Amino acid sequence: KQEVTQIPAALSVPEGENLVLNCSFTDSAIYNLQWFRQDPGKGLTSLLLIQSSQREQTSGRLNASLDKSSGRSTLYIAASQPGDSATYLCAVNGDGGNTGKLIFGQGTTLQVKP
Amino acid sequence: DGGITQSPKYLFRKEGQNVTLSCEQNLNHDAMYWYRQDPGQGLRLIYYSQIVNDFQKGDIAEGYSVSREKKESFPLTVTSAQKNPTAFYLCASKNAGGTDTQYFGPGTRLTVL
């Protein structure tokens, strides 16, 4: 059974710092992996989606990498800003892509201090 | 405006009551999903539907029911058989096939009184 783990559960950094969020999964047979952002009491917003054949995806100050063989993904945030404060969730799609079913990690709650 | 709407935003349920959470999308997506989120935990899949008039159980379907009579609507009923329904409920949709991301609604917070 696929399990997704995110470490750390919470992270606090000063503004301007570069940071890395970690996501690990137990079954390397994934179809794709996504990173989402969730603000308190809100829905999820997709940040980056990496297909199983890809190594990384970039959007602005965000860069997500994928290493299927080791069961790891990282989300790199450059030059962090207070507006980046939120919970970040990773999710894997391991169901052959047919159903789109996602398995989520518990999330990392990020606080960026001004 | 294209997107997913959920209503109500807050819902209170008394013991023994059934309640229905609404989810509507105008993105013309074939697939729709219901997730439950508890504090400090990730999302867990309750039910999903890939096509009208068809749906499948997710990982935690006990005590819940759904219907998919229209492409744009996927309501979730929390029945009295669900013993611990207090949680944040999120609805999502996506195009058919595995390459596209899921788009999420704003969520409904259900509290049992």
Side-chain angles (χ1 to χ4, degrees):
Chain A
K1 180 184 174 183
Q2 178 75 270
E3 293 183 1
V4 181
T5 303
Q6 293 185 246
I7 296 174
L11 182 63
S12 181
V13 300
E15 182 177 4
E17 191 164 298
N18 301 326
L19 59 100
V20 174
L21 307 181
N22 297 295
C23 173
S24 61
F25 46 95
T26 55
D27 187 347
S28 62
I30 67 170
Y31 193 77
N32 58 45
L33 182 146
Q34 299 180 56
W35 284 92
F36 293 90
R37 169 183 172 140
Q38 185 178 30
D39 293 296
K42 305 292 186 182
L44 277 63
T45 300
S46 178
L47 297 173
L48 292 163
L49 184 152
I50 311 176
Q51 301 296 343
S52 61
S53 59
Q54 298 175 321
R55 297 283 294 184
E56 65 178 340
Q57 282 286 340
T58 298
S59 176
R61 294 183 293 109
L62 305 179
N63 176 278
S65 68
L66 174 64
D67 184 343
K68 275 180 49 179
S69 61
S70 66
R72 295 177 186 274
S73 176
T74 61
L75 179 66
Y76 175 82
I77 302 177
S80 59
Q81 303 171 358
D84 294 330
S85 298
T87 296
Y88 292 82
L89 295 140
C90 73
V92 300
N93 178 346
D95 196 28
N98 295 321
T99 64
K101 289 169 58 178
L102 297 178
I103 300 171
F104 283 83
Q106 307 94 317
T108 294
T109 299
L110 172 66
Q111 182 185 34
V112 181
K113 297 179 179 178
Chain B
D1 264 350
I4 302 176
T5 58
Q6 292 186 242
S7 62
K9 186 174 182 179
Y10 299 98
L11 186 57
F12 299 91
R13 192 193 92 167
K14 294 182 180 179
E15 296 274 356
Q17 274 186 338
N18 292 351
V19 292
T20 298
L21 284 60
S22 170
C23 177
E24 304 276 334
Q25 55 98 0
N26 61 6
L27 301 168
N28 200 33
H29 286 167
D30 292 301
M32 298 187 74
Y33 307 83
W34 273 106
Y35 294 92
R36 169 180 172 143
Q37 187 177 32
D38 294 284
Q41 296 191 32
L43 280 65
R44 292 182 289 169
L45 182 64
I46 305 172
Y47 267 98
Y48 65 102
S49 168
Q50 294 179 271
I51 196 169
V52 174
N53 292 324
D54 188 45
F55 48 83
Q56 286 79 39
K57 294 181 179 179
D59 299 319
I60 56 166
E62 184 175 352
Y64 300 97
S65 66
V66 294
S67 63
R68 186 86 187 277
E69 298 177 0
K70 298 185 296 182
K71 186 176 184 178
E72 59 269 24
S73 178
F74 191 39
L76 173 74
T77 296
V78 184
T79 75
S80 57
Q82 172 50 239
K83 297 307 178 187
N84 185 23
T86 295
F88 190 50
Y89 290 86
L90 289 158
C91 178
S93 71
K94 70 180 291 291
N95 283 320
T99 58
D100 289 341
T101 189
Q102 290 187 18
Y103 294 84
F104 282 80
T108 292
R109 186 165 298 281
L110 173 62
T111 303
V112 174
L113 301 175

